[in-house]
Amino acid sequence: MDVASPRTHAIRIASYIAMGLGLFLVLYLRLLPALLAGLLVYEVVVSVAPLMGRRLSGDRARVLAVALVAVIVVGLLTLLILGGISFFRNEIGNPEDLWQNKLMPLVERAREQMPQAVVARLPESVDALRVTALDWARSNAVTLQLAGKEAARVLVHILIGLVLGAIVALSRTRPSHQVGPFAAELSLRSARLADAFHNIVFAQIKISLVNTLLTAIYLLCILPLFGVHLPLTKTLIVITFLVGLLPVIGNLLSNTAITIVGLSVSLSVGIGALAFLVVIHKLEYFLNARIVGSQIRARAWELLVAMLLCEAAFGLPGLVAAPIFYAYLKSELEAERLI
């Protein structure tokens, strides 16, 4: 017992170091999309597979059930991504129609609402707007190429993460006696990370759904009652849900877009959208404190500090990963009875 205890302790410390190094490399090597995609598939497969496994007998049947669920989940998520891309393409429509009937009317209305110093910098016609956009594209050609490559890289990482998440979920069917002590400790670390992901992400989905519902009511019900119809309403609602998956900052991004579009219609609509931003932003803090905070037993300021530090160190990926990593860290500290 005296010999085994230090060895077990050393293995546990080594697993902590390996896990910490792995999470650091995820951010440093920009692999966060793959990690999040893998965790998402893993959580869905692990949650759904037992429902099928109850109707089947034997280890092979359980493996088959997990594999079937994994294939379905990966396929559905892939179709969801492709469907989102198709939606935005259809919403934007013909580029010429976008220039003539959507962007230019926004500019024209903005010219009537904004100060003269700002108006002087706005294009006067569709041709001028097109020339300005083309000049900007030429001057930022290298940046746009890098952005395109980055988007393709992120998409590939997401697809790889989806497959890896399914493979890891399948590996859970291995008997415990076939797993070594270090692998068992790493499996425990990974399980706690998956639990932290589940607590944060699924709670944030609830928050985003509430924010999206309130935004849809504002855009589709309240504004039309006053005879106001904002352009690109469906796009704004979809963006609200997607960026709403980012804690705190996502609500600011979506409502800033609504405020800008509102200002293009009239100053009063813009002010109304800004008031909506303030109210929903306050609600976001309340929801984070009640939903996310209750899941990981953390106050809102703790999450904000973690997000601030990770954003300063790793940029936007750090901002996205901060709540999940902080929830994981807190679960490990609680398991060791340090907090």
Side-chain angles (χ1 to χ4, degrees):
M1 188 64 141
D2 295 335
V3 176
S5 181
R7 180 175 181 270
T8 302
H9 181 70
I11 291 174
R12 181 179 302 173
I13 295 299
S15 71
Y16 285 135
I17 295 174
M19 193 66 177
L21 180 62
L23 294 180
F24 170 79
L25 289 176
V26 163
L27 293 177
Y28 183 76
L29 298 177
R30 300 179 296 170
L31 296 174
L32 184 63
L35 175 64
L36 297 181
L39 286 172
L40 179 60
V41 171
Y42 175 86
E43 279 299 311
V44 174
V45 169
V46 170
S47 300
V48 176
L51 301 178
M52 299 182 61
R54 292 173 186 171
R55 301 185 179 184
L56 301 172
S57 59
D59 292 338
R60 292 184 179 179
R62 197 180 328 118
V63 170
L64 178 62
V66 175
L68 179 61
V69 173
V71 171
I72 293 175
V73 169
V74 171
L76 288 177
L77 290 176
T78 303
L79 290 176
L80 182 62
I81 294 172
L82 296 177
I85 295 174
S86 176
F87 171 81
F88 283 110
R89 278 187 173 180
N90 293 334
E91 182 70 7
I92 291 175
N94 185 2
E96 186 65 29
D97 179 69
L98 176 66
W99 286 100
Q100 188 72 42
N101 299 323
K102 293 182 179 180
L103 292 182
M104 201 58 208
L106 289 179
V107 175
E108 289 296 333
R109 287 192 289 267
R111 293 172 67 89
E112 300 173 1
Q113 303 294 329
M114 295 182 177
Q116 186 61 36
V118 178
V119 171
R121 297 177 177 272
L122 295 177
E124 298 180 354
S125 64
V126 174
D127 291 335
L129 182 61
R130 186 184 290 109
V131 169
T132 301
L134 291 176
D135 289 342
W136 180 87
R138 290 192 193 98
S139 61
N140 295 273
V142 176
T143 303
L144 292 175
Q145 288 178 356
L146 292 176
K149 292 179 180 178
E150 182 68 14
R153 184 188 65 83
V154 170
L155 181 59
V156 170
H157 284 180
I158 290 175
L159 294 176
I160 293 174
L162 295 177
V163 175
L164 287 177
I167 293 174
V168 173
L170 284 172
S171 69
R172 282 173 53 92
T173 59
R174 289 178 58 191
S176 58
H177 66 271
Q178 295 182 4
V179 180
F182 182 69
E185 286 292 334
L186 278 181
S187 178
L188 178 60
R189 307 279 84 77
S190 300
R192 287 176 180 166
L193 176 64
D195 288 340
F197 173 83
H198 179 275
N199 292 335
I200 291 294
V201 171
F202 285 89
Q204 194 61 39
I205 289 175
K206 296 177 183 178
I207 296 172
S208 182
L209 286 173
V210 173
N211 288 339
T212 303
L213 176 61
L214 294 175
T215 300
I217 292 174
Y218 176 75
L219 295 178
L220 299 177
C221 299
I222 296 178
L223 287 181
L225 286 177
F226 294 92
V228 177
H229 300 274
L230 292 185
L232 303 175
T233 300
K234 290 188 293 183
T235 301
L236 289 173
I237 293 174
V238 173
I239 290 175
T240 297
F241 175 74
L242 294 178
V243 301
L245 299 176
L246 300 176
V248 181
I249 191 66
N251 184 251
L252 288 173
L253 293 175
S254 62
N255 285 283
T256 298
I258 295 173
T259 302
I260 293 174
V261 175
L263 283 172
S264 70
V265 175
S266 71
L267 182 60
S268 60
V269 174
I271 293 175
L274 182 60
F276 174 79
L277 162 65
V278 173
V279 172
I280 299 301
H281 185 55
K282 294 301 181 183
L283 177 63
E284 175 84 359
Y285 280 104
F286 175 77
L287 290 175
N288 267 291
R290 290 297 299 271
I291 299 178
V292 178
S294 63
Q295 289 286 343
I296 64 173
R297 295 174 294 280
R299 296 183 177 91
W301 68 264
E302 296 180 53
L303 291 176
L304 289 174
V305 169
M307 291 165 64
L308 178 64
L309 294 176
C310 288
E311 192 280 332
F314 300 102
L316 181 60
L319 184 68
V320 175
I324 300 171
F325 287 9
Y326 180 75
Y328 164 70
L329 174 62
K330 197 157 189 177
S331 68
E332 291 285 11
L333 293 175
E334 288 177 347
E336 295 294 332
R337 299 181 180 179
L338 296 177
I339 58 174

